[in-house]
Amino acid sequence: MLAIDERWLEVPVEKKDFRLVVEALRSDDWVPAIAESRESFYRLASSPPDYEIYVDARTPSASERETANTNIEVFFTPDAIYIVRFVHPDANWARRFGRQEDERGIRVMRVANSGGASNKAQIDEFCDMVRAAIASSLDGRRVRHWSSAWEEPRTTISPLARLRSRLASEEVPLALKEAVLDEDSVARSEVLSEKRSRELLIEIAQARFAREEDVLSRRGKAKEDTADSLDALKSSGLIVTEYVLQCTRHGAPLIRVTDRSELTDGPTSALRCANCGKSFADETLSEGYSISDPGRALSQGSHWMTVWTTQRLVELGVPLDAVAWNLEESSEEVDLLFEHLGRLWIVELKDRDFGAGDAHPFNYRRVRYRADEAIVISAGKVSSDAKKVFTELQRGAGSLRSRTSPMILIEGLDQVVPVLQRSFESAALARVRSRLEFPSAVIGFDLAQVAVDRS
């Protein structure tokens, strides 16, 4: 997946500084591609190289003036593209076009396949090279007090923060929980992602107490698989083992305990059955199960699915602090929200089939919270009627259609990771294209496409 990292150095650079710094960066490993292409052009023309950007004076549009106040160079390494942009705005031009004057300085971009911390380390190393090139190529008396502190560029307010702010301004009572993952909950959600284990837990919860022999006897040929599911539920702490003592003659339950030694040692073992008169030690003892507190918490509202999906998101690179659970507003409820790649994603989770009756409310929530992307994750199927509803809503969006992406429909938990991965790759590419649109326009090459071809 393509990723773009950026750094900003706020220093008073001038147009004449750019070529000096670029030449100081030039080496066998760092070849300035734009300068090389210009030099090749003028060499073929038998003309001295001109490094200034060509601007047609007959049409001094705002965009051309902005281009004229920017110098850009590109460097290629085997695994990345580095872009150096000098910004030296024209205050008179900014006032003329009613625009706020840009900060003067240097912006560095690195575009490569995502690599987490290694990406950040490499762009920081390149930024150090740029700062060293400034120190070596420009007048030391002038740059002596220039900043060496590279910063990540100021970004717009995050999508989640923007949503909170908007709803607060509307005085809408809002409940939005921060996502919290712990090792035990994640492990238990993995167990419940198996349909057989999930159905078994529901059965035990509804029965309040289920004897092992009764559970297994109802499974016929699936007895062995059911026993495996019971072991998984027990080992993960989703159910607790209990023992029920029954009257041998009448079958009536007498007492239920969690420790069988209570029936063989201590005062309880001396008690007698009121029905047949036998001592408790001589009555029939059966092993059974009841749902545990963690099992009840995860099964309530299919919270296990929220935990399970959040773990998948984190594994795919979404920061945990960018995920929110259970947005509640009046009668509206959203299972999961997260921000990633500059977008707000809304997720509907269903541990059953997703039907047409679910489609309209979810689409309303997407519009209400202005989500950029909407995802349906169904443990079963998304019905054809629901898909038809989404298609008709998309077709009827009119002028909004271009800004509203199609619903992302995921059928079956085994499809969650591959579908999300593809969606994130598309979003990452769109983000890279957006960030590289202006540099590409300045140099005349489609940098985003080059990045795609190299990835």
Side-chain angles (χ1 to χ4, degrees):
M1 182 169 68
L2 281 177
I4 184 166
D5 285 293
E6 299 182 55
R7 296 291 184 272
W8 171 260
L9 182 65
E10 190 171 356
V11 289
V13 289
E14 299 175 5
K15 293 187 70 171
K16 61 185 177 65
D17 301 330
F18 180 72
R19 185 51 43 197
L20 297 173
V21 173
V22 168
E23 289 306 313
L25 284 169
R26 188 192 290 257
S27 69
D28 291 341
D29 295 325
W30 297 95
V31 178
I34 305 306
E36 283 281 306
S37 65
R38 286 179 177 273
E39 289 163 8
S40 177
F41 176 89
Y42 286 106
R43 185 170 58 252
L44 292 171
S46 300
S47 174
D50 182 1
Y51 296 103
E52 291 298 317
I53 297 172
Y54 172 73
V55 178
D56 190 341
R58 295 170 300 177
T59 55
S61 66
S63 62
E64 286 177 333
R65 290 299 301 270
E66 186 174 11
T67 297
N69 290 318
T70 300
N71 290 103
I72 290 176
E73 189 53 83
V74 179
F75 297 87
F76 295 104
T77 66
D79 61 347
I81 302 173
Y82 291 85
I83 302 159
V84 180
R85 176 184 172 190
F86 272 43
V87 181
H88 27 73
D90 181 339
N92 293 326
W93 166 82
R95 285 192 294 270
R96 176 183 172 188
F97 287 98
R99 292 183 48 163
Q100 182 178 356
E101 185 177 354
D102 292 335
E103 295 173 306
R104 179 173 298 182
I106 304 172
R107 185 180 294 266
V108 168
M109 299 179 178
R110 180 180 186 274
V111 184
N113 285 321
S114 55
S118 63
N119 277 11
K120 296 186 180 300
Q122 289 171 3
I123 190 174
D124 289 341
E125 183 179 336
F126 182 75
C127 286
D128 290 340
M129 289 175 52
V130 173
R131 189 62 182 84
I134 291 172
S136 66
S137 60
L138 304 185
D139 188 336
R141 292 169 299 179
R142 178 179 161 219
V143 305
R144 183 168 47 227
H145 301 296
W146 283 11
S147 172
S148 298
W150 291 86
E151 300 176 358
E152 293 193 25
R154 301 178 183 91
T155 56
T156 57
I157 186 171
S158 76
L160 269 178
R162 186 165 56 245
L163 174 63
R164 285 190 176 99
S165 177
R166 179 170 64 84
L167 294 180
S169 68
E170 296 174 6
E171 298 183 353
V172 174
L174 185 68
L176 189 60
K177 300 177 184 176
E178 292 184 3
V180 178
L181 292 180
D182 61 79
E183 189 175 338
D184 289 338
S185 294
V186 170
R188 287 164 180 152
S189 72
E190 295 292 342
V191 173
L192 293 178
S193 67
E194 296 291 332
K195 185 178 181 181
R196 187 184 300 107
S197 298
R198 191 162 65 247
E199 290 176 343
L200 199 53
L201 183 69
I202 293 172
E203 180 181 323
I204 292 171
Q206 290 174 342
R208 298 191 177 180
F209 175 80
R211 296 192 310 168
E212 182 177 44
E213 57 190 86
D214 295 334
V215 172
L216 295 176
S217 66
R218 286 194 291 269
R219 292 307 190 276
K221 294 181 180 179
K223 214 180 257 191
E224 188 175 331
D225 292 335
T226 302
D228 291 340
S229 296
L230 281 173
D231 288 340
L233 292 173
K234 285 191 290 185
S235 63
S236 62
L238 288 162
I239 58 176
V240 293
T241 303
E242 294 187 321
Y243 301 91
V244 63
L245 193 67
Q246 294 174 281
C247 174
T248 304
R249 182 179 300 172
H250 301 286
L254 303 175
I255 190 172
R256 199 168 85 202
V257 295
T258 56
D259 185 357
R260 67 187 305 166
S261 66
E262 292 181 34
L263 302 176
T264 56
D265 304 321
T268 305
S269 62
L271 296 177
R272 291 188 174 275
C273 175
N275 297 309
C276 65
K278 287 185 178 182
S279 67
F280 275 16
D282 295 327
E283 295 288 21
T284 302
L285 183 66
S286 300
E287 182 176 329
Y289 309 102
S290 61
I291 190 169
S292 67
D293 289 339
R296 188 173 292 105
L298 284 172
S299 60
Q300 187 173 11
S302 299
H303 183 60
W304 69 268
M305 201 170 180
T306 303
V307 174
W308 185 89
T309 302
T310 301
Q311 179 62 21
R312 302 286 85 73
L313 292 174
V314 170
E315 290 169 356
L316 289 170
V318 179
L320 183 59
D321 60 7
V323 182
W325 289 345
N326 305 112
L327 183 152
E328 294 180 7
E329 178 204 344
S330 301
S331 59
E332 294 300 321
E333 183 173 346
V334 175
D335 296 320
L336 196 149
L337 282 166
F338 66 95
E339 56 185 26
H340 189 44
L341 300 169
R343 302 186 182 196
L344 181 64
W345 308 66
I346 184 172
V347 185
E348 178 86 349
L349 303 173
K350 284 286 182 282
D351 65 352
R352 54 170 174 79
D353 290 345
F354 183 93
D358 303 309
H360 280 289
F362 182 52
N363 185 70
Y364 168 77
R365 289 190 284 271
R366 178 190 189 173
V367 174
R368 169 75 178 111
Y369 302 118
R370 301 179 188 174
D372 301 296
E373 305 287 349
I375 306 170
V376 172
I377 299 178
S378 169
K381 295 287 186 182
V382 177
S383 73
S384 57
D385 287 340
K387 293 176 182 177
K388 184 178 180 181
V389 168
F390 288 141
T391 300
E392 291 174 348
L393 289 170
Q394 178 75 10
R395 187 181 298 122
S399 61
L400 294 174
R401 185 179 177 188
S402 61
R403 301 197 300 270
T404 305
S405 56
M407 292 280 182
I408 301 168
L409 307 179
I410 304 178
E411 299 177 291
L413 299 184
D414 60 322
Q415 293 300 307
V416 169
V417 170
V419 174
L420 285 180
Q421 201 161 25
R422 289 195 296 271
S423 300
F424 290 167
E425 286 173 356
S426 296
L429 178 57
R431 184 169 181 258
V432 168
R433 286 194 181 282
S434 175
R435 298 286 184 88
L436 296 185
E437 186 176 3
F438 178 76
S440 296
V442 171
I443 65 174
F445 297 103
D446 188 345
L447 290 171
Q449 187 59 49
V450 171
V452 170
D453 293 339
R454 286 165 53 91
S455 63

